[in-house]
């Protein structure tokens, strides 16, 4: 517990610092974090004998993230993102030169890495430019993380105290419906407190964001549990002592961030 608490404290400080220190720090930190998470994903699935195209994937993921950043900062036309197409399809050509028994599994999991890890981080990053584009604003990324942490904390506390009804026992035996609704309550409460400070968005929009984070953040946790159970591993990695890997810490973000961005984009823009 001591190791877990120390790790949580310092990692939280680093994450909050990356948000508060401006757009360029935000860009660099989450680019590196997304690449580290993608590497962890590929390392995880290699335990099943699958060999994704790691080098191509890391290069493509870097370009995807930087083009997302470039779009927000420079407001260039989205047609330039088509330059990624040849690089992405080079995965198929590269597989021709590998002596693999399951070539399309290697190809498939390479693309799953983009969809499951890189794309969600790009959506989360884009929250920083949703309100005052092309100017960076820390309000939405900070609010997202605070609500996600409030949901996780509430789910844990309410689940420990009142949890009796299993939520999805096949993938996560410890999660309960009581914990789920407790987490949703604390997330909505956090959204109300946030709405008092960040008034550019109405309180009901913040509350809707909290409900989506609680719902899809929980589903993200279950999806990552499904992945680990399918590979028969306990943690996705050892990057964070006492907490496991990056995927263990950001599993809720991976599913919730694209949904929340879509919700806010349709309402705000």
């Amino acid at each position: 517990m001591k190791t877990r608490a120390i790790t949580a404290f310092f990692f939280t400080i680093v994450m909050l610092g990356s948000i508060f220190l401006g757009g360029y720090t935000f860009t660099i930190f989450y680019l590196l974090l997304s690449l580290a998470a993608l590497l962890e994903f590929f390392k995880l699935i290699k335990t099943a004998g699958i060999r994704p195209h790691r080098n191509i994937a890391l290069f493509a993921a870097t370009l995807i993230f930087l083009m997302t950043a470039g779009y927000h900062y420079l407001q260039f036309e989205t047609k330039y993102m088509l330059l990624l197409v040849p690089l992405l399809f080079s995965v198929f050509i590269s597989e021709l030169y590998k002596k693999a028994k399951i070539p399309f599994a290697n190809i498939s999991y390479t693309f799953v890495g983009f969809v499951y890890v890189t794309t969600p981080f790009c959506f989360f990053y884009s929250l920083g430019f949703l309100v005052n584009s092309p100017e960076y604003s820390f309000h939405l990324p900070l609010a997202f993380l605070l609500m996600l942490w409030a949901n996780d904390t509430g789910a844990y506390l309410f689940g420990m105290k009142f949890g009796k009804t299993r939520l999805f026992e096949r993938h996560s035996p410890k999660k309960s419906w009581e914990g789920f609704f407790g987490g949703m309550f604390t997330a909505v409460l956090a959204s109300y407190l946030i709405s008092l400070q960040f008034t550019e968005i109405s309180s009901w929009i913040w509350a809707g964001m909290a409900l989506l984070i609680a719902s899809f953040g929980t589903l993200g946790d279950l999806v990552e549990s499904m992945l680990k159970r399918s590979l028969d591993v306990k943690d996705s990695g050892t990057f964070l002592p006492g907490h496991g890997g990056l995927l263990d810490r950001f599993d809720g973000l991976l599913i919730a961030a694209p949904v929340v961005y879509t919700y806010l984009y349709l309402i705000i823009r």
Side-chain angles (χ1 to χ4, degrees):
M1 287 298 295
K2 182 179 179 181
T3 301
R4 186 180 179 89
I6 293 173
T7 301
F9 175 77
F10 283 105
F11 193 65
T12 300
I13 295 298
V14 170
M15 289 186 63
L16 293 178
S18 71
I19 290 175
F20 285 125
L21 292 176
Y24 293 118
T25 303
F26 184 64
T27 301
I28 294 170
F29 179 79
Y30 279 94
L31 167 61
L32 296 177
L33 190 63
S34 67
L35 293 177
L38 184 62
L39 269 174
E40 185 176 276
F41 174 76
F42 288 148
K43 183 178 179 180
L44 189 63
I45 63 171
K46 282 182 71 175
T47 61
I50 297 167
R51 298 293 183 267
H53 296 260
R54 187 184 65 179
N55 293 336
I56 295 175
L58 289 174
F59 184 57
T62 301
L63 285 183
I64 291 170
F65 196 97
L66 290 179
M67 291 187 80
T68 302
Y71 171 75
H72 292 303
Y73 278 110
L74 305 176
Q75 300 289 290
F76 60 69
E77 295 183 48
T78 54
K79 67 180 181 180
Y80 293 108
M81 290 189 174
L82 290 173
L83 295 172
L84 289 168
V85 171
L87 179 60
L88 294 176
F89 278 85
S90 68
V91 172
F92 293 90
I93 299 171
S94 178
E95 188 65 31
L96 291 173
Y97 297 92
K98 294 175 67 176
K99 296 179 180 180
K101 295 181 179 179
I102 45 176
F104 273 85
N106 298 337
I107 294 170
S108 299
Y109 275 94
T110 303
F111 283 98
V112 168
F114 294 136
V115 175
Y116 182 55
V117 179
T118 304
T119 301
F121 272 104
C122 287
F123 274 111
F124 173 76
Y125 170 80
S126 296
L127 288 174
F129 302 87
L130 192 56
V131 177
N132 298 317
S133 182
E135 298 296 324
Y136 167 72
S137 171
F138 68 84
H139 291 185
L140 283 175
L142 176 63
F144 183 99
L145 290 179
L146 291 178
M147 292 182 204
L148 186 64
W149 294 339
N151 174 66
D152 290 344
T153 302
Y156 175 77
L157 295 176
F158 278 83
M160 288 289 290
K161 183 68 175 179
F162 306 107
K164 293 181 179 179
T165 312
R166 298 300 97 186
L167 176 65
F168 212 128
E169 193 167 6
R170 180 157 56 93
H171 294 304
S172 186
K174 295 182 180 180
K175 289 191 180 301
S176 66
W177 280 104
E178 293 82 3
F180 169 73
F181 286 115
M184 183 174 287
F185 169 76
T186 54
V188 172
L189 179 61
S191 76
Y192 172 72
L193 297 176
I194 289 168
S195 71
L196 299 178
Q197 298 297 319
F198 303 150
T199 57
E200 68 269 34
I201 298 176
S202 66
S203 58
W204 72 268
I205 295 178
W206 286 118
M209 181 177 171
L211 292 175
L212 289 175
I213 288 173
S215 300
F216 288 92
T218 302
L219 288 172
D221 191 313
L222 292 170
V223 167
E224 203 246 352
S225 294
M226 177 175 66
L227 172 64
K228 291 189 295 184
R229 284 181 176 274
S230 69
L231 299 172
D232 195 26
V233 296
K234 183 179 184 295
D235 295 319
S236 65
T238 58
F239 187 83
L240 300 170
H243 289 263
L246 292 172
L247 297 180
D248 293 319
R249 292 304 93 203
F250 291 97
D251 49 11
L253 180 149
L254 297 180
I255 302 297
V259 177
V260 168
Y261 181 87
T262 302
Y263 160 75
L264 292 173
Y265 186 88
L266 293 175
I267 291 179
I268 296 175
R269 300 299 283 269

